[in-house]
Amino acid sequence: MQPARPLKKNALKKRTPDWIVTFADLATLLLTFFILLLSFAEMDIEKYRAMANSMSLAFGSSNVVAEDIGGTPLTLIEADTVSLPKPSENLQDQPEFIDERTERSETRQIPGGVLDLAGRLIQELEAEVAADTLHVNYDEDQVVIRFSEEATFRSGDAAIMPGMIPIIERVVEVLASCTGDVVVSGHTDDVPISSGMYRSNWDLSAARAVSVVHELVLDRQIPADRVVAAGRAETRPLMPNDSAENRAVNRRVEIAVRNPECDAAVPTRDLPVEILP
């Protein structure tokens, strides 16, 4: 066996260290990673334009970057004295802040006929309105006279109390001078009725509406073809039926006059009534 020959110095120098291969792979991967990041990045046009404008002013150029990305080349002005151009208007514009918390309220136009009828009813029934016996409300289409059950009917009964008859007659006098369809609707709470006279709240609410209709057309000041009776039962409450006070509010009869037009307009002032939602 021949003894192993010793390696020459040149051969030792030509060998590549093992760690350099790993380092080269790592450097290549990092370069690829940053290239991907650059390709995914989005250029901020406004910052780019602002930077280009600043460079243009610094070099004394009269041309600034155009709207497109990349812009136009900067043109240098060769002069002894350089006059700086005015800053771009885009840089002077201040951002407008919009407060989304404030809602734009559109003006609601109330027809003159609605205001006339509401004003007449308030003047005629001022004492009753002040005593909460009834309420007069209105919106863009109608005027609503709302009678509470406590002042108009006994519990579980559809007969109008005698003290309410003169008030309804005064309402008739006002409505007789105005046109418009009249809808009388009865409303109850959600407690089932226990009376043997009426099968349900539907029967009771309809019977109360019919009782008021009889008083409206009794002396024929209001034509019968203008008036409609409707029983709503508990389907349209004003308040949630979760307390005795709220149920009392929901038990009511309403006279709604739709699209009224009165004969002679009376002066209308700030009406102390509630606008319907």
Side-chain angles (χ1 to χ4, degrees), residues 60 92 102 106 113 123 135 143 165 179 185-186 189 230 244 255 272 276:
Q92 293 178 351
T102 58
E106 298 180 357
Q123 291 179 354
H135 300 274
V143 178
I165 300 299
T179 61
S185 56
D189 56 23
I255 301 176
L276 293 176

Side-chain angles (χ1 to χ4, degrees), residues 33-48:
F33 175 72
F34 285 114
I35 291 175
L36 287 175
L37 287 181
L38 182 62
S39 64
F40 292 151
E42 295 182 0
M43 181 177 295
D44 193 332
I45 300 175
E46 295 299 330
K47 290 184 179 179
Y48 174 78

Side-chain angles (χ1 to χ4, degrees), residues 82-121:
V82 178
S83 59
L84 297 178
K86 296 181 179 180
S88 173
E89 294 181 356
N90 293 334
L91 298 178
Q92 293 178 351
D93 293 339
Q94 297 296 330
E96 297 181 359
F97 295 94
I98 301 176
D99 190 359
E100 297 181 353
R101 296 174 296 178
T102 58
E103 298 180 357
R104 298 181 179 179
S105 58
E106 298 180 357
T107 304
R108 303 171 65 179
Q109 199 71 21
I110 306 298
V114 172
L115 295 177
D116 290 342
L117 179 56
R120 294 185 184 192
L121 289 170

Side-chain angles (χ1 to χ4, degrees), residues 33 36 38 56 103 108 125 144 156-157 177 184 186 201 213 261:
F33 175 72
L36 287 175
L38 182 62
S56 175
E103 298 180 357
R108 303 171 65 179
L125 306 169
V144 178
D157 194 2
S177 61
V184 182
N201 285 327
V213 168
E261 289 295 339

